[in-house]
């Protein structure tokens, strides 16, 4: 009777250990230019909403509701951009 082995005991034990991750899914958001552009764009919208207005008591052409709407659009765009960035890139660990 012969017995065959697919490997030594050590090889089989190593197969049960979790494999080490060599990369993260993507860069941290603070390391990207997307975050900087997003923050600057939000600040630009806020400053514009504050500065633009009718001083004669008329209707404000770019009021708080418009600013909130544009900030919401910017936020959605930023989230989509981060999702696309995460979908196919890798950031390798530095050992």
């Amino acid at each position: 009777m012969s017995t065959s082995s697919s490997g030594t005991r050590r090889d089989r034990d190593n197969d049960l250990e979790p494999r080490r991750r060599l990369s993260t899914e993507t860069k941290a958001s603070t390391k990207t230019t997307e975050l900087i552009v997003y923050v600057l764009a939000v600040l630009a919208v806020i400053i514009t909403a504050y500065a633009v207005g009718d001083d004669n008591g008329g209707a404000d052409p770019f009021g708080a509701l418009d600013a909130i709407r544009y900030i919401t659009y910017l936020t959605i765009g930023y989230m989509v951009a981060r999702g696309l960035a995460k979908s196919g890139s890798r950031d390798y660990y530095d050992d």
Side-chain angles (χ1 to χ4, degrees):
M1 215 189 295
S2 73
T3 59
S4 65
S5 173
S6 62
T8 64
R9 178 180 163 86
R10 184 179 179 135
D11 290 339
R12 284 181 271 136
D13 288 342
N14 286 339
D15 289 341
L16 300 176
E17 294 176 11
R19 297 188 186 260
R20 194 174 123 211
R21 287 179 51 173
L22 299 177
S23 68
T24 61
E25 189 171 336
T26 186
K27 284 185 187 178
S29 65
T30 55
K31 293 182 178 181
T32 65
T33 56
E34 292 168 347
L35 179 66
I36 297 168
V37 171
Y38 169 73
V39 169
L40 292 175
V42 168
L43 288 175
V45 169
I46 291 170
I47 292 169
T48 304
Y50 180 74
V52 173
D54 187 13
D55 294 334
N56 298 331
D60 192 2
F62 189 72
L65 291 177
D66 291 328
I68 291 172
R69 182 180 314 118
Y70 286 115
I71 290 172
T72 302
Y73 296 156
L74 287 169
T75 303
I76 291 169
Y78 176 74
M79 290 170 33
V80 168
R82 288 300 299 160
L84 290 173
K86 285 185 173 188
S87 68
S89 66
R90 301 274 183 217
D91 184 28
Y92 294 99
Y93 292 129
D94 294 331
D95 287 341

